[in-house]
Amino acid sequence: MHTVLAASTRLDLSLTQKLFVIALCALTAFVSHLALAVFNDGVRPFMLDFIQGRAKRSATTAVSFGLSAGFIFGLGAPMALASGVLNPWLLFLPTDILGILAPRAWIAPLLGGVWGAVVVFGLDGANDLAHDLPVDFLTAMQQMSTPILFLFTLFPVLAITRQFGRPRGAFAAVLELALVIMTMKLWPKVFPGSLAMAAGVLLLIGFAVRKDLLQRKQERAQERRQPQGQGKRLEQAQEREDTRDDPMVSLFSGSALRLRRHLPLFMVLGAGVCVLAQMHIFGGGEATSFLIAKGQYSEAAQVDFYRVFGFIPLIATTALASGAYGIAGFTLVYPLGYLLPDPFLAAVVGAVVLALEVLALSFVGRVLGKLPSVRDSSEHLRAAITETLGLAILFGSLLAAQVMGGGLAILVVGGLYLLNEAMGRPVVRMAAAPAAVVVGGVLLNLLHWLNLFTPLKS
Protein backbone atom coordinates (compact mmCIF):
# COMPACT_ATOMS: atom_id res chain seq x y z
CA MET A 1 0.00 0.00 0.00
CA HIS A 2 1.41 3.36 -1.01
CA THR A 3 0.82 6.04 1.58
CA VAL A 4 3.19 8.74 0.36
CA LEU A 5 1.24 11.47 -1.37
CA ALA A 6 1.86 12.96 -4.76
CA ALA A 7 4.00 16.05 -5.03
CA SER A 8 1.08 18.39 -5.75
CA THR A 9 -0.74 19.12 -2.51
CA ARG A 10 -2.36 22.40 -3.46
CA LEU A 11 -5.33 23.60 -1.47
CA ASP A 12 -7.63 23.77 -4.49
CA LEU A 13 -10.74 25.47 -3.10
CA SER A 14 -13.61 26.86 -5.10
CA LEU A 15 -14.71 30.43 -4.44
CA THR A 16 -17.73 29.09 -2.56
CA GLN A 17 -15.52 26.98 -0.33
CA LYS A 18 -13.19 29.88 0.35
CA LEU A 19 -16.07 32.14 1.32
CA PHE A 20 -17.49 29.39 3.53
CA VAL A 21 -14.19 28.98 5.39
CA ILE A 22 -13.99 32.75 5.89
CA ALA A 23 -17.56 32.82 7.25
CA LEU A 24 -16.93 29.87 9.57
CA CYS A 25 -13.77 31.50 10.95
CA ALA A 26 -15.80 34.67 11.57
CA LEU A 27 -18.43 32.61 13.42
CA THR A 28 -15.92 30.72 15.59
CA ALA A 29 -14.18 33.98 16.54
CA PHE A 30 -17.57 35.46 17.54
CA VAL A 31 -18.42 32.38 19.64
CA SER A 32 -15.00 32.60 21.30
CA HIS A 33 -15.53 36.31 22.03
CA LEU A 34 -18.76 35.44 23.85
CA ALA A 35 -16.80 32.79 25.84
CA LEU A 36 -19.31 30.16 24.73
CA ALA A 37 -16.79 27.81 23.12
CA VAL A 38 -13.07 27.50 22.38
CA PHE A 39 -11.24 24.79 20.48
CA ASN A 40 -8.17 24.49 22.73
CA ASP A 41 -8.97 22.09 25.59
CA GLY A 42 -6.17 23.64 27.64
CA VAL A 43 -7.72 27.12 27.41
CA ARG A 44 -11.23 26.05 28.44
CA PRO A 45 -10.53 25.74 32.20
CA PHE A 46 -9.34 29.38 32.23
CA MET A 47 -12.60 30.60 30.72
CA LEU A 48 -14.53 30.42 34.01
CA ASP A 49 -12.54 33.27 35.54
CA PHE A 50 -12.99 35.25 32.32
CA ILE A 51 -16.75 34.61 32.25
CA GLN A 52 -17.13 35.62 35.89
CA GLY A 53 -15.01 38.75 35.45
CA ARG A 54 -12.07 37.66 37.59
CA ALA A 55 -9.67 37.61 34.61
CA LYS A 56 -9.24 40.40 32.08
CA ARG A 57 -9.56 39.90 28.35
CA SER A 58 -5.87 40.67 27.81
CA ALA A 59 -4.76 38.05 30.36
CA THR A 60 -7.04 35.39 28.89
CA THR A 61 -5.79 36.23 25.41
CA ALA A 62 -2.21 35.79 26.59
CA VAL A 63 -3.07 32.35 28.01
CA SER A 64 -4.78 31.32 24.78
CA PHE A 65 -1.88 32.51 22.64
CA GLY A 66 0.70 30.83 24.85
CA LEU A 67 -1.11 27.48 24.72
CA SER A 68 -1.94 27.65 21.01
CA ALA A 69 0.89 29.36 19.10
CA GLY A 70 3.12 26.28 18.92
CA PHE A 71 0.31 24.16 17.50
CA ILE A 72 -0.71 26.82 14.95
CA PHE A 73 2.72 27.47 13.43
CA GLY A 74 4.46 24.21 14.28
CA LEU A 75 1.71 21.71 13.47
CA GLY A 76 -1.33 23.32 11.84
CA ALA A 77 0.42 25.25 9.07
CA PRO A 78 3.03 22.58 8.16
CA MET A 79 0.38 19.83 8.17
CA ALA A 80 -1.91 21.84 5.89
CA LEU A 81 0.95 22.62 3.51
CA ALA A 82 2.14 19.00 3.45
CA SER A 83 -1.30 17.42 2.95
CA GLY A 84 -3.22 20.15 1.10
CA VAL A 85 -6.04 19.76 3.66
CA LEU A 86 -7.15 22.28 6.28
CA ASN A 87 -7.09 21.32 9.95
CA PRO A 88 -8.54 22.65 13.23
CA TRP A 89 -5.19 23.90 14.57
CA LEU A 90 -4.83 26.22 11.59
CA LEU A 91 -8.44 27.43 11.57
CA PHE A 92 -9.85 27.32 15.09
CA LEU A 93 -6.90 27.95 17.41
CA PRO A 94 -6.26 31.39 15.86
CA THR A 95 -9.96 32.27 16.04
CA ASP A 96 -9.89 31.32 19.74
CA ILE A 97 -7.19 33.95 20.24
CA LEU A 98 -8.71 36.60 17.97
CA GLY A 99 -12.18 36.19 19.45
CA ILE A 100 -10.97 36.64 23.02
CA LEU A 101 -8.69 39.49 21.96
CA ALA A 102 -11.45 41.50 20.23
CA PRO A 103 -12.67 44.33 22.52
CA ARG A 104 -16.13 44.48 20.86
CA ALA A 105 -18.47 41.75 19.67
CA TRP A 106 -18.64 43.10 16.12
CA ILE A 107 -14.84 43.19 15.83
CA ALA A 108 -14.45 39.47 16.61
CA PRO A 109 -16.06 38.13 13.39
CA LEU A 110 -14.11 40.68 11.36
CA LEU A 111 -10.82 39.44 12.80
CA GLY A 112 -11.88 35.82 12.36
CA GLY A 113 -12.90 36.45 8.76
CA VAL A 114 -9.58 38.13 8.00
CA TRP A 115 -7.73 35.11 9.36
CA GLY A 116 -9.88 32.79 7.23
CA ALA A 117 -9.03 34.89 4.17
CA VAL A 118 -5.32 34.73 4.99
CA VAL A 119 -5.54 30.94 5.14
CA VAL A 120 -7.56 30.27 1.98
CA PHE A 121 -5.86 32.88 -0.19
CA GLY A 122 -2.37 32.74 1.27
CA LEU A 123 -1.81 29.02 1.70
CA ASP A 124 -1.55 28.23 -1.99
CA GLY A 125 0.86 31.11 -2.52
CA ALA A 126 3.09 29.77 0.22
CA ASN A 127 2.71 26.28 -1.25
CA ASP A 128 3.76 27.38 -4.75
CA LEU A 129 6.69 29.36 -3.38
CA ALA A 130 7.93 26.40 -1.34
CA HIS A 131 7.61 23.96 -4.26
CA ASP A 132 9.66 26.30 -6.46
CA LEU A 133 12.59 26.31 -4.03
CA PRO A 134 15.70 24.22 -4.79
CA VAL A 135 15.04 22.26 -1.59
CA ASP A 136 11.32 21.39 -1.68
CA PHE A 137 10.70 20.72 2.00
CA LEU A 138 6.90 20.55 1.60
CA THR A 139 7.07 17.56 -0.73
CA ALA A 140 9.59 16.01 1.67
CA MET A 141 7.12 16.52 4.56
CA GLN A 142 4.71 14.13 2.88
CA GLN A 143 7.01 11.40 4.21
CA MET A 144 5.22 11.93 7.54
CA SER A 145 2.05 10.30 6.23
CA THR A 146 3.19 6.67 6.49
CA PRO A 147 4.49 6.78 10.11
CA ILE A 148 1.46 8.79 11.25
CA LEU A 149 -1.08 6.46 9.66
CA PHE A 150 0.51 3.21 10.81
CA LEU A 151 1.84 4.10 14.28
CA PHE A 152 -1.46 5.81 15.16
CA THR A 153 -3.04 2.36 14.84
CA LEU A 154 -1.34 1.31 18.08
CA PHE A 155 -2.89 3.86 20.43
CA PRO A 156 -5.55 1.43 21.83
CA VAL A 157 -2.78 -1.08 22.62
CA LEU A 158 -0.89 1.48 24.70
CA ALA A 159 -4.06 2.51 26.54
CA ILE A 160 -5.02 -1.11 27.32
CA THR A 161 -1.51 -1.95 28.54
CA ARG A 162 -1.34 1.06 30.85
CA GLN A 163 -4.81 0.58 32.33
CA PHE A 164 -5.27 -3.20 32.37
CA GLY A 165 -1.76 -4.63 32.40
CA ARG A 166 0.72 -6.36 30.13
CA PRO A 167 -1.17 -9.62 29.34
CA ARG A 168 -4.21 -7.81 27.97
CA GLY A 169 -1.99 -5.28 26.23
CA ALA A 170 -0.01 -8.10 24.58
CA PHE A 171 -3.26 -9.76 23.46
CA ALA A 172 -4.45 -6.48 21.96
CA ALA A 173 -1.11 -5.98 20.18
CA VAL A 174 -1.17 -9.46 18.62
CA LEU A 175 -4.82 -9.02 17.60
CA GLU A 176 -4.17 -5.64 15.98
CA LEU A 177 -1.09 -6.89 14.12
CA ALA A 178 -3.05 -9.87 12.80
CA LEU A 179 -5.89 -7.61 11.66
CA VAL A 180 -3.50 -5.21 9.92
CA ILE A 181 -1.87 -8.09 8.02
CA MET A 182 -5.24 -9.60 7.16
CA THR A 183 -6.57 -6.26 5.89
CA MET A 184 -3.49 -5.68 3.74
CA LYS A 185 -3.84 -9.16 2.28
CA LEU A 186 -7.60 -9.35 1.72
CA TRP A 187 -8.59 -5.69 1.21
CA PRO A 188 -5.54 -3.88 -0.21
CA LYS A 189 -7.52 -0.72 -1.03
CA VAL A 190 -8.64 -0.27 2.59
CA PHE A 191 -6.50 1.56 5.16
CA PRO A 192 -4.90 -1.37 7.06
CA GLY A 193 -5.33 0.21 10.49
CA SER A 194 -9.11 0.68 10.30
CA LEU A 195 -10.21 -2.75 11.51
CA ALA A 196 -7.33 -2.99 13.98
CA MET A 197 -8.17 0.33 15.65
CA ALA A 198 -11.84 -0.63 15.88
CA ALA A 199 -10.95 -3.89 17.62
CA GLY A 200 -8.54 -2.16 19.99
CA VAL A 201 -10.98 0.56 21.04
CA LEU A 202 -13.79 -1.98 21.52
CA LEU A 203 -11.49 -4.11 23.69
CA LEU A 204 -10.56 -1.12 25.84
CA ILE A 205 -14.18 -0.06 26.33
CA GLY A 206 -15.19 -3.66 27.03
CA PHE A 207 -12.51 -4.08 29.69
CA ALA A 208 -13.47 -0.76 31.32
CA VAL A 209 -17.22 -1.41 31.37
CA ARG A 210 -16.66 -4.93 32.74
CA LYS A 211 -14.49 -3.55 35.54
CA ASP A 212 -17.10 -0.93 36.49
CA LEU A 213 -19.93 -3.48 36.42
CA LEU A 214 -18.00 -5.87 38.64
CA GLN A 215 -17.21 -3.03 41.04
CA ARG A 216 -20.88 -2.04 41.30
CA LYS A 217 -21.85 -5.69 41.78
CA GLN A 218 -19.44 -5.96 44.71
CA GLU A 219 -20.81 -2.75 46.23
CA ARG A 220 -24.39 -4.04 46.00
CA ALA A 221 -23.32 -7.33 47.60
CA GLN A 222 -21.79 -5.41 50.52
CA GLU A 223 -25.00 -3.39 50.93
CA ARG A 224 -27.07 -6.59 51.09
CA ARG A 225 -24.88 -7.90 53.90
CA GLN A 226 -25.84 -4.86 56.03
CA PRO A 227 -29.07 -4.87 58.12
CA GLN A 228 -32.11 -4.63 55.82
CA GLY A 229 -32.82 -1.06 54.69
CA GLN A 230 -29.88 0.44 56.53
CA GLY A 231 -27.58 0.42 53.51
CA LYS A 232 -30.09 2.13 51.26
CA ARG A 233 -30.95 4.78 53.84
CA LEU A 234 -27.28 5.53 54.38
CA GLU A 235 -26.69 5.79 50.61
CA GLN A 236 -29.65 8.17 50.13
CA ALA A 237 -28.56 10.33 53.05
CA GLN A 238 -25.02 10.47 51.69
CA GLU A 239 -26.29 11.50 48.23
CA ARG A 240 -28.38 14.31 49.76
CA GLU A 241 -25.41 15.47 51.83
CA ASP A 242 -23.07 15.40 48.81
CA THR A 243 -25.54 17.38 46.69
CA ARG A 244 -26.05 20.02 49.38
CA ASP A 245 -22.38 20.49 50.22
CA ASP A 246 -20.73 20.12 46.81
CA PRO A 247 -20.36 23.54 45.13
CA MET A 248 -19.54 21.82 41.83
CA VAL A 249 -23.14 20.60 41.52
CA SER A 250 -24.52 24.12 41.30
CA LEU A 251 -21.60 25.21 39.09
CA PHE A 252 -22.18 22.36 36.65
CA SER A 253 -25.91 23.02 36.44
CA GLY A 254 -25.29 26.75 35.93
CA SER A 255 -22.79 26.08 33.15
CA ALA A 256 -25.12 23.66 31.40
CA LEU A 257 -27.98 26.19 31.61
CA ARG A 258 -25.76 28.96 30.21
CA LEU A 259 -24.87 26.85 27.19
CA ARG A 260 -28.50 25.81 26.60
CA ARG A 261 -29.56 29.45 26.46
CA HIS A 262 -27.41 29.84 23.33
CA LEU A 263 -28.61 26.63 21.67
CA PRO A 264 -29.45 28.26 18.28
CA LEU A 265 -25.91 29.63 17.99
CA PHE A 266 -24.46 26.19 18.75
CA MET A 267 -26.71 24.67 16.10
CA VAL A 268 -25.33 27.11 13.51
CA LEU A 269 -21.81 26.26 14.68
CA GLY A 270 -22.43 22.53 14.40
CA ALA A 271 -23.90 22.96 10.93
CA GLY A 272 -20.87 24.96 9.80
CA VAL A 273 -18.24 22.54 11.07
CA CYS A 274 -20.10 19.52 9.68
CA VAL A 275 -20.41 21.13 6.25
CA LEU A 276 -16.70 21.98 6.30
CA ALA A 277 -15.92 18.29 6.94
CA GLN A 278 -18.39 17.24 4.22
CA MET A 279 -16.52 19.37 1.66
CA HIS A 280 -13.48 17.08 2.13
CA ILE A 281 -11.13 20.06 2.40
CA PHE A 282 -10.70 19.59 6.16
CA GLY A 283 -9.31 16.86 8.41
CA GLY A 284 -9.88 16.75 12.14
CA GLY A 285 -6.54 15.15 13.02
CA GLU A 286 -3.03 14.39 11.84
CA ALA A 287 -3.82 10.96 10.40
CA THR A 288 -7.18 12.15 9.14
CA SER A 289 -5.65 14.95 7.07
CA PHE A 290 -3.59 12.49 5.02
CA LEU A 291 -6.53 10.08 4.65
CA ILE A 292 -8.76 12.91 3.39
CA ALA A 293 -6.01 13.94 0.96
CA LYS A 294 -5.95 10.38 -0.39
CA GLY A 295 -9.75 10.30 -0.77
CA GLN A 296 -10.22 7.63 1.92
CA TYR A 297 -13.17 9.29 3.59
CA SER A 298 -14.67 6.27 5.35
CA GLU A 299 -11.29 5.43 6.89
CA ALA A 300 -10.91 9.06 7.99
CA ALA A 301 -14.34 8.87 9.60
CA GLN A 302 -13.31 5.77 11.53
CA VAL A 303 -10.11 7.36 12.81
CA ASP A 304 -11.85 10.50 14.06
CA PHE A 305 -14.71 8.47 15.51
CA TYR A 306 -12.29 6.45 17.64
CA ARG A 307 -10.67 9.65 18.87
CA VAL A 308 -14.04 10.80 20.21
CA PHE A 309 -13.88 8.22 23.01
CA GLY A 310 -10.70 9.79 24.32
CA PHE A 311 -12.07 13.34 24.41
CA ILE A 312 -15.73 13.14 25.49
CA PRO A 313 -14.94 13.05 29.25
CA LEU A 314 -12.39 15.87 28.96
CA ILE A 315 -14.64 18.11 26.88
CA ALA A 316 -17.75 17.38 28.97
CA THR A 317 -16.12 18.00 32.35
CA THR A 318 -14.26 21.15 31.28
CA ALA A 319 -17.41 22.51 29.64
CA LEU A 320 -19.50 21.88 32.75
CA ALA A 321 -16.81 23.36 34.99
CA SER A 322 -16.12 26.46 32.90
CA GLY A 323 -19.33 27.21 31.00
CA ALA A 324 -17.47 27.11 27.65
CA TYR A 325 -17.99 24.25 25.20
CA GLY A 326 -15.77 22.98 22.37
CA ILE A 327 -15.92 24.60 18.93
CA ALA A 328 -16.56 21.17 17.41
CA GLY A 329 -18.35 19.79 20.48
CA PHE A 330 -17.40 16.17 21.07
CA THR A 331 -16.03 16.21 17.46
CA LEU A 332 -18.68 13.74 16.27
CA VAL A 333 -19.51 16.23 13.52
CA TYR A 334 -16.16 15.44 11.87
CA PRO A 335 -16.76 11.76 10.96
CA LEU A 336 -20.41 12.39 10.18
CA GLY A 337 -19.46 15.17 7.80
CA TYR A 338 -16.90 13.04 5.97
CA LEU A 339 -19.54 10.42 5.23
CA LEU A 340 -22.56 12.55 4.34
CA PRO A 341 -23.20 12.94 0.59
CA ASP A 342 -24.73 16.41 0.61
CA PRO A 343 -23.77 19.75 2.29
CA PHE A 344 -27.41 20.59 3.07
CA LEU A 345 -27.87 17.26 4.83
CA ALA A 346 -24.56 17.86 6.63
CA ALA A 347 -25.83 21.23 7.87
CA VAL A 348 -28.98 19.64 9.30
CA VAL A 349 -27.12 16.72 10.89
CA GLY A 350 -24.41 18.98 12.33
CA ALA A 351 -26.99 21.33 13.87
CA VAL A 352 -28.93 18.45 15.42
CA VAL A 353 -25.83 16.68 16.75
CA LEU A 354 -24.38 19.74 18.47
CA ALA A 355 -27.81 20.63 19.90
CA LEU A 356 -28.17 17.14 21.36
CA GLU A 357 -24.66 17.31 22.79
CA VAL A 358 -25.35 20.60 24.56
CA LEU A 359 -28.67 19.33 25.91
CA ALA A 360 -27.09 16.08 27.12
CA LEU A 361 -24.04 17.62 28.83
CA SER A 362 -25.39 17.27 32.38
CA PHE A 363 -26.48 13.69 31.71
CA VAL A 364 -23.07 12.82 30.25
CA GLY A 365 -21.40 14.32 33.32
CA ARG A 366 -23.55 12.19 35.66
CA VAL A 367 -22.93 9.00 33.68
CA LEU A 368 -19.17 9.56 33.65
CA GLY A 369 -19.30 10.06 37.41
CA LYS A 370 -20.68 6.52 37.76
CA LEU A 371 -18.16 4.90 35.39
CA PRO A 372 -14.71 5.68 36.79
CA SER A 373 -12.92 3.04 34.70
CA VAL A 374 -14.45 4.36 31.47
CA ARG A 375 -13.39 7.86 32.53
CA ASP A 376 -9.88 6.59 33.19
CA SER A 377 -9.87 4.89 29.79
CA SER A 378 -10.41 8.20 28.07
CA GLU A 379 -7.38 9.67 29.85
CA HIS A 380 -5.27 6.70 28.81
CA LEU A 381 -6.56 7.03 25.23
CA ARG A 382 -5.61 10.70 25.07
CA ALA A 383 -2.15 9.98 26.46
CA ALA A 384 -1.69 7.10 24.01
CA ILE A 385 -2.82 9.21 21.05
CA THR A 386 -0.32 11.92 22.02
CA GLU A 387 2.48 9.40 22.48
CA THR A 388 1.94 7.49 19.23
CA LEU A 389 1.53 10.65 17.18
CA GLY A 390 4.54 12.24 18.86
CA LEU A 391 6.75 9.32 17.83
CA ALA A 392 5.20 9.15 14.35
CA ILE A 393 5.63 12.86 13.69
CA LEU A 394 9.23 12.82 14.93
CA PHE A 395 10.09 9.77 12.83
CA GLY A 396 8.28 11.21 9.81
CA SER A 397 10.07 14.50 10.20
CA LEU A 398 13.44 12.75 10.20
CA LEU A 399 12.38 10.86 7.07
CA ALA A 400 11.48 14.20 5.50
CA ALA A 401 14.89 15.53 6.49
CA GLN A 402 16.58 12.54 4.86
CA VAL A 403 14.68 13.16 1.62
CA MET A 404 15.40 16.88 1.44
CA GLY A 405 19.01 16.94 2.54
CA GLY A 406 20.43 13.62 3.72
CA GLY A 407 22.64 13.58 6.79
CA LEU A 408 23.02 17.35 6.98
CA ALA A 409 19.25 17.83 7.07
CA ILE A 410 18.89 15.11 9.71
CA LEU A 411 21.53 16.92 11.76
CA VAL A 412 19.68 20.24 11.45
CA VAL A 413 16.14 18.90 12.04
CA GLY A 414 17.13 16.49 14.80
CA GLY A 415 19.35 19.12 16.37
CA LEU A 416 16.56 21.71 16.43
CA TYR A 417 14.23 19.16 18.01
CA LEU A 418 16.77 18.24 20.70
CA LEU A 419 17.55 21.91 21.32
CA ASN A 420 13.86 22.56 21.86
CA GLU A 421 13.81 19.75 24.44
CA ALA A 422 16.90 21.12 26.19
CA MET A 423 15.38 24.60 26.37
CA GLY A 424 12.29 23.33 28.17
CA ARG A 425 10.10 22.99 25.05
CA PRO A 426 9.26 26.57 24.06
CA VAL A 427 7.57 24.83 21.10
CA VAL A 428 5.27 22.01 22.23
CA ARG A 429 6.75 18.58 21.53
CA MET A 430 4.06 17.56 19.02
CA ALA A 431 4.78 20.60 16.85
CA ALA A 432 8.54 20.82 17.35
CA ALA A 433 9.57 18.29 14.69
CA PRO A 434 7.42 19.67 11.80
CA ALA A 435 8.54 23.18 12.71
CA ALA A 436 12.14 21.96 12.62
CA VAL A 437 11.59 20.58 9.10
CA VAL A 438 10.32 23.97 7.91
CA VAL A 439 13.20 25.85 9.55
CA GLY A 440 15.66 23.26 8.28
CA GLY A 441 14.26 23.55 4.75
CA VAL A 442 14.66 27.32 4.78
CA LEU A 443 18.22 26.98 6.12
CA LEU A 444 19.17 24.43 3.44
CA ASN A 445 17.88 26.76 0.73
CA LEU A 446 20.00 29.59 2.15
CA LEU A 447 23.04 27.31 2.16
CA HIS A 448 22.30 26.36 -1.46
CA TRP A 449 22.19 30.02 -2.51
CA LEU A 450 25.54 30.49 -0.77
CA ASN A 451 26.93 27.52 -2.76
CA LEU A 452 27.44 25.57 0.47
CA PHE A 453 24.88 22.83 -0.18
CA THR A 454 23.73 20.87 -3.22
CA PRO A 455 20.14 19.52 -3.07
CA LEU A 456 19.74 15.77 -3.37
CA LYS A 457 18.48 14.37 -6.64
CA SER A 458 14.88 13.10 -6.36
Side-chain angles (χ1 to χ4, degrees), residues 194-215:
S194 299
L195 189 57
M197 277 189 286
V201 171
L202 287 175
L203 273 178
L204 177 64
I205 295 173
F207 290 150
V209 171
R210 180 176 181 273
K211 182 177 180 180
D212 284 332
L213 292 177
L214 289 175
Q215 181 66 31

Side-chain angles (χ1 to χ4, degrees), residues 50-116:
F50 177 61
I51 292 168
Q52 296 182 347
R54 294 194 299 269
K56 293 182 179 180
R57 188 171 294 277
S58 58
T60 311
T61 302
V63 169
S64 182
F65 181 83
L67 292 175
S68 303
F71 286 104
I72 296 168
F73 301 108
L75 187 62
M79 197 66 65
L81 289 168
S83 66
V85 175
L86 297 173
N87 58 67
W89 307 287
L90 184 62
L91 293 183
F92 302 146
L93 289 181
T95 57
D96 280 359
I97 301 168
L98 295 172
I100 299 171
L101 173 66
R104 296 287 184 271
W106 63 270
I107 297 177
L110 287 179
L111 294 177
V114 168
W115 175 255

Side-chain angles (χ1 to χ4, degrees), residues 93-307:
L93 289 181
T95 57
D96 280 359
I97 301 168
L98 295 172
I100 299 171
L101 173 66
R104 296 287 184 271
W106 63 270
I107 297 177
L110 287 179
L111 294 177
V114 168
W115 175 255
V118 168
V119 170
V120 296
F121 290 108
L123 208 59
D124 266 347
N127 192 302
D128 292 340
L129 176 63
H131 283 310
D132 289 338
L133 293 172
V135 180
D136 184 357
F137 56 88
L138 290 187
T139 299
M141 286 183 71
Q142 293 166 32
Q143 297 292 326
M144 290 193 298
S145 65
T146 301
I148 287 175
L149 290 174
F150 279 87
L151 287 176
F152 185 72
T153 303
L154 291 174
F155 77 88
V157 174
L158 269 65
I160 290 171
T161 305
R162 293 229 169 89
Q163 187 173 7
F164 297 105
R166 296 175 185 175
R168 290 181 179 179
F171 172 75
V174 171
L175 176 63
E176 283 207 8
L177 179 61
L179 290 173
V180 167
I181 295 172
M182 183 182 74
T183 304
M184 295 177 73
K185 186 71 175 177
L186 300 179
W187 306 290
K189 294 184 178 180
V190 176
F191 170 52
S194 299
L195 189 57
M197 277 189 286
V201 171
L202 287 175
L203 273 178
L204 177 64
I205 295 173
F207 290 150
V209 171
R210 180 176 181 273
K211 182 177 180 180
D212 284 332
L213 292 177
L214 289 175
Q215 181 66 31
R216 296 191 70 179
K217 183 178 179 181
Q218 292 174 358
E219 291 173 354
R220 285 196 295 268
Q222 290 176 353
E223 290 173 3
R224 283 196 295 270
R225 286 196 292 268
Q226 293 179 353
Q228 189 173 8
Q230 180 181 348
K232 188 169 185 177
R233 287 195 299 273
L234 287 172
E235 182 181 352
Q236 292 173 343
Q238 185 63 46
E239 287 180 356
R240 289 194 299 270
E241 187 69 23
D242 290 344
T243 302
R244 185 170 58 248
D245 293 342
D246 190 356
M248 295 303 289
V249 173
S250 59
L251 175 62
F252 278 18
S253 60
S255 296
L257 182 61
R258 177 179 187 265
L259 295 175
R260 288 194 201 109
R261 284 200 298 265
H262 295 88
L263 197 62
L265 187 56
F266 280 110
M267 293 177 72
V268 175
L269 183 62
V273 176
C274 196
V275 170
L276 181 67
Q278 193 278 332
M279 290 177 174
H280 300 148
I281 60 173
F282 172 89
E286 300 88 346
T288 316
S289 294
F290 289 110
L291 288 170
I292 293 291
K294 288 158 57 74
Q296 296 182 321
Y297 307 132
S298 60
E299 287 87 346
Q302 290 180 57
V303 169
D304 272 356
F305 180 72
Y306 303 145
R307 288 174 67 110

Side-chain angles (χ1 to χ4, degrees), residues 163 208 212 313 317 365 367-380 382:
Q163 187 173 7
D212 284 332
T317 52
V367 170
L368 290 173
K370 297 177 181 178
L371 297 172
S373 295
V374 173
R375 196 168 61 246
D376 291 345
S377 293
S378 73
E379 296 178 2
H380 287 293
R382 289 198 309 277

